Every structure is written in structure tokens, then in C-alpha cells.
Amino acid sequence: MEVIRNIFVSLIDHFAAMTLPEKLTGILAMIFCISAFLLKNRKAILVVQLIGMGLWTVHFFLLHQYAGAAMNGIAAIRGLVYVQRGRFKWTESRIIPAVFIVLFIGAGLFTFFYGGDNNFWLPVIAMTITSIGLFFKDEQRVRLISLFSSPPWIVYNALAGSIPAVITESLVMLATFLGLVIYRKKKNS
């Protein structure tokens, strides 16, 4: 329990020390990402998520957490590509997730060597998992695989001292888990 208490106190201290732009971008990103779960229209969801990813990119950049910034920037591009699945033949290629995985790994290594982000591997793992999961068409498989991308993000966000990011990723993980349970219950009914 002492470890959990120390982590919580450390997060509060980090948040208190943040500048106003760091706090605002984190809080706004959290609001956009959480509100995307409440929307029904796919295009609206994409737009809200893209705004959220843009805000996370700025938030992590302001915190000098360059891996987090890079991963969210690349994820925004990935979102634009993945939403095109079915419209263009090239978007169905299995090469697409591999390209994004290579981009995430490359960006992570770049932020390690040139930005000093020692925790770069956490969002790289998370984004690799997400890139694979989001490529599947079966929603239940997407949810199941995506569930495993949240823990590395939560740890990275905590180490970065971003309470909004920890809260957001925790809620995403909870919503994903609930989606798995609800979908399974509906399927068994």
C-alpha cells in the first residue's frame, strides 16, 4: 500500500508543478478522448479522437515526454488510414499495420537517442498492440487485443506525471473491458 500511496503523491506533485498549458492540453485531451466513447456517428468519433490525439501530442511535448508525443502524432495518421479500410484496396493490406509498427519503433528509438526518453519502450509496446488490434474487423477481437495496450500507457503516463493521461487510459481500459463483457452477454442471450 505504501508504494501505491507514493505513486499517488508523486502524481499529485507532478500535476501541481505543471504549467497551465500542460494542464489544459491534458484535461482537454482527456475530455475529447472520453467523449468519443459517447458518440454514435463514426465520422464524429474519428474527428473527436483526432482532436484528442493532437492535444495529447502537444501535452506530452510540453512535458518533454517525446515518445508519448510522437506515438500520438503517428496514431493520428494511423487513424486516418484505418478509417479508410474498405474504401481503398491498399488499406486492406497486412503491410499497413507493419508500416505503423515500424514507424512507432523508429520514433521510439529516435526519442530515446535524441530526446532522452528512457521510457520510450512503454508507448511503443502499447501502440504496437493497438496497431495489430485495430486492424481486425471483428470488434470483439479488437477489444480483447486493445485491452493489453492500456497497462503500458498507464505506467508511461504515471512516470510522465500526467494525471489526465492516467485517468483517460484507465477509463479506456475499463470501457474496453465492459465492452467485452456486454458483447459476450448479448452474444450468449
Side-chain angles (χ1 to χ4, degrees):
M1 290 307 277
E2 187 67 23
V3 171
I4 293 172
R5 183 189 164 287
N6 289 341
I7 291 171
F8 185 72
V9 168
S10 176
L11 278 171
I12 298 296
D13 289 345
H14 273 94
F15 190 73
M18 282 183 188
T19 64
L20 186 60
E22 292 166 345
K23 288 177 184 174
L24 284 177
T25 55
I27 291 168
L28 287 172
M30 179 176 70
I31 290 168
F32 274 94
C33 288
I34 292 170
S35 65
F37 280 98
L38 304 173
L39 301 172
K40 289 185 179 181
N41 178 290
R42 183 181 172 139
K43 188 172 184 174
I45 291 169
L46 174 66
V47 169
V48 169
Q49 284 182 335
L50 287 173
I51 293 169
M53 283 185 255
L55 288 165
W56 283 129
T57 301
V58 173
H59 175 72
F60 283 115
F61 184 80
L62 291 173
L63 292 176
H64 305 282
Q65 300 297 317
Y66 302 117
M71 299 303 124
N72 279 284
I74 295 168
I77 296 166
R78 181 191 62 201
L80 289 171
V81 171
Y82 277 24
V83 80
Q84 300 301 321
R85 287 197 68 198
R87 285 186 69 196
F88 303 104
K89 188 174 181 176
W90 63 269
T91 60
E92 298 296 326
S93 172
R94 292 183 184 184
I95 293 172
I96 298 297
V99 167
F100 283 105
I101 290 168
V102 168
L103 287 172
F104 286 126
I105 292 169
L109 289 171
F110 184 84
T111 63
F112 172 69
F113 288 115
Y114 296 103
D117 194 337
N118 294 327
N119 300 314
F120 76 95
W121 56 277
L122 290 161
V124 168
I125 290 170
M127 291 309 223
T128 298
I129 293 168
T130 304
S131 292
I132 293 166
L134 290 177
F135 197 72
F136 288 103
K137 291 184 178 177
D138 174 42
E139 292 89 357
Q140 197 67 342
R141 187 177 282 177
V142 171
R143 287 185 189 99
L144 182 62
I145 294 170
S146 296
L147 191 61
F148 294 98
S149 71
S150 290
W153 266 121
I154 292 169
V155 173
Y156 182 83
N157 296 338
L159 292 171
S162 177
I163 290 177
V166 170
I167 292 169
T168 301
E169 200 59 48
S170 298
L171 290 172
V172 166
M173 189 174 177
L174 177 64
T176 304
F177 179 76
L178 290 174
L180 280 167
V181 171
I182 291 167
Y183 182 81
R184 179 161 290 167
K185 281 185 178 182
K186 283 183 180 179
K187 188 175 180 182
N188 292 336
S189 301

